[in-house]
Amino acid sequence: MKKKAGDSMHKFLRAAGFTECCTRREEEALLSTLQKEAVKAERLVVPGDTVYAEYRCELAPGMGVSLVGEEDEDGGFHLDYYFPYLNGDFESSKEECSVQRHAERETYAGMLDEYKVGISLIFYISNSMEYRIKWLNQEKREVRSVNLSGLSVEGKILLPIQKTARQIQMAKVAASNRNSLLEAAKHGDEDAMETLTIEDIDLYSKVSRRLVKEDVYSIIESCFMPYGIECDQYSIIGEIREIRMLTNRITQEEIYNLTIECNDIMFNVGIHKKDLLGEPMVGRRFKGQIWMMGKLNFA
């Protein structure tokens, strides 16, 4: 297996349990080992008889490394790129999803107009080879839903915000009303736009007053914000709903697989045990930067 010049180590490889891999030689040795143990997931023959293949090496249930490249006539595999992955357990969103190819290589990004988040949610498509096969075979590529997940190399645990049952119910009603207003505003409803503007002004005023005497994390229960200049990375605060411990079968390093609810969206986040500050517990909150990926479920 040969790796193309110019490719560098994936930033989120440590989130899959490879914290000791830090040099180019170690990376090449690791990728060679992973390729030998991997199972061919997809195979694509394009016009001109060029053959592309995706190999997936599972390191723990639902977590692993995907290697994508070109196969030659002798059966040799020439790596084009690789990425760590974590499968999402939930259909996180059923909103309309558009797909766009990246400029650098044959990988794809998805974009969801998700009202719950308040922004256009852009993510790295983890099953892009399946999408390419459907496109080449001229099959329908309508996206029914998306299973979102994220990998993180930096995170911390925050205590939960204490709320009564009435406050929880009122928050759900307010979120539902806001989503309805956003839907109406998208279709040109001027009254909805005006209402949303007034609500934002009132919210800013309330938060400004509370910040004088309160900590910001006692006011902001959850958030979903773009992080840095890469469009598929986000800074999030979300409630932990479930905790599972994964063990990388090669390095024996431990990874937290956290089920997170953030802005009423459920998804999984994988983070190395060494990179998480604090003790995760159900009900507490996770704060960190994540690389968002998603698996497309086709209609």
Side-chain angles (χ1 to χ4, degrees):
M1 180 189 69
K2 295 181 180 179
K3 192 170 185 289
K4 289 186 177 181
D7 289 345
S8 58
M9 193 179 307
H10 200 289
K11 175 183 176 182
F12 292 91
L13 188 61
R14 66 180 290 115
F18 295 106
T19 59
E20 302 300 324
C21 183
C22 55
T23 67
R24 175 59 63 87
R25 182 175 296 180
E26 289 172 341
E27 180 193 24
E28 290 178 351
L30 172 63
L31 292 175
S32 180
T33 300
L34 293 176
Q35 198 273 326
K36 290 175 183 177
E37 298 185 7
V39 176
K40 187 181 292 185
E42 301 284 358
R43 188 171 184 269
L44 174 65
V45 181
V46 300
D49 294 330
T50 301
V51 180
Y52 294 99
E54 177 182 13
Y55 289 84
R56 291 213 164 191
C57 182
E58 191 166 89
L59 303 166
M63 183 189 76
V65 176
S66 178
L67 304 100
V68 183
E70 187 176 331
E71 289 185 337
D72 57 30
E73 296 177 354
D74 300 325
F77 180 70
H78 303 274
L79 181 66
D80 184 15
Y81 64 92
Y82 73 95
F83 61 93
Y85 68 85
L86 177 70
N87 292 333
D89 296 331
F90 308 92
E91 289 188 337
S92 305
S93 177
K94 295 183 179 181
E95 296 295 335
E96 182 180 351
C97 179
S98 56
V99 178
Q100 184 73 40
R101 182 188 183 276
H102 289 129
E104 182 184 2
R105 56 168 66 104
E106 196 72 35
T107 56
Y108 293 80
M111 185 175 74
L112 293 164
D113 287 325
E114 184 56 73
Y115 301 120
K116 298 174 184 176
V117 177
I119 58 174
S120 294
L121 198 161
I122 300 173
F123 60 93
Y124 184 93
I125 295 177
S126 60
N127 59 332
S128 59
M129 185 67 80
E130 181 183 358
Y131 178 83
R132 291 174 65 186
I133 292 172
K134 286 184 175 291
W135 178 81
L136 190 66
N137 295 335
Q138 298 182 342
E139 299 176 18
K140 288 185 178 180
R141 302 187 300 279
E142 181 184 350
V143 180
R144 172 175 53 85
S145 63
V146 179
N147 288 33
L148 294 173
S149 58
L151 292 175
S152 176
V153 294
E154 180 185 356
K156 61 181 66 174
I157 300 300
L158 303 178
L159 293 175
I161 296 176
Q162 191 172 14
K163 294 184 296 182
T164 65
R166 175 178 170 78
Q167 288 174 323
I168 294 172
Q169 184 61 34
M170 289 176 62
K172 289 181 178 180
V173 172
S176 177
N177 291 340
R178 183 173 176 80
N179 290 338
S180 299
L181 287 170
L182 287 168
E183 175 73 26
K186 182 181 177 182
H187 292 90
D189 189 326
E190 293 185 1
D191 290 338
M193 295 179 192
E194 184 178 350
T195 302
L196 286 168
T197 301
I198 294 171
E199 285 184 356
D200 287 343
I201 294 172
D202 290 343
L203 180 61
Y204 177 80
S205 178
K206 290 178 183 177
V207 170
S208 298
R209 289 196 302 269
R210 290 182 62 182
L211 280 173
V212 176
K213 297 182 179 180
E214 298 181 50
D215 182 81
V216 64
Y217 296 123
S218 67
I219 301 172
I220 300 174
E221 182 179 0
S222 66
C223 77
F224 204 108
M225 296 172 53
Y227 177 77
I229 61 174
E230 295 190 52
C231 55
D232 54 9
Q233 294 187 29
Y234 298 91
S235 177
I236 69 165
I237 300 175
E239 184 178 346
I240 300 173
R241 291 291 188 173
E242 185 183 351
I243 304 167
R244 281 176 286 168
M245 185 67 77
L246 304 178
T247 302
N248 183 313
R249 61 180 177 82
I250 295 177
T251 63
Q252 298 303 309
E253 296 182 26
E254 294 181 320
I255 309 297
Y256 283 118
N257 182 0
L258 306 175
T259 299
I260 303 293
E261 182 179 4
C262 179
N263 288 35
D264 294 326
I265 295 179
M266 298 282 284
F267 55 91
N268 296 80
V269 171
I271 182 169
H272 198 287
K273 189 176 181 180
K274 295 179 181 177
D275 295 330
L276 184 61
L277 179 64
E279 185 68 26
M281 291 181 63
V282 173
R284 292 181 177 178
R285 291 177 294 166
F286 170 83
K287 176 183 181 294
Q289 286 74 48
I290 66 168
W291 172 49
M292 183 65 81
M293 68 183 70
K295 176 181 178 293
L296 304 181
N297 301 313
F298 297 99

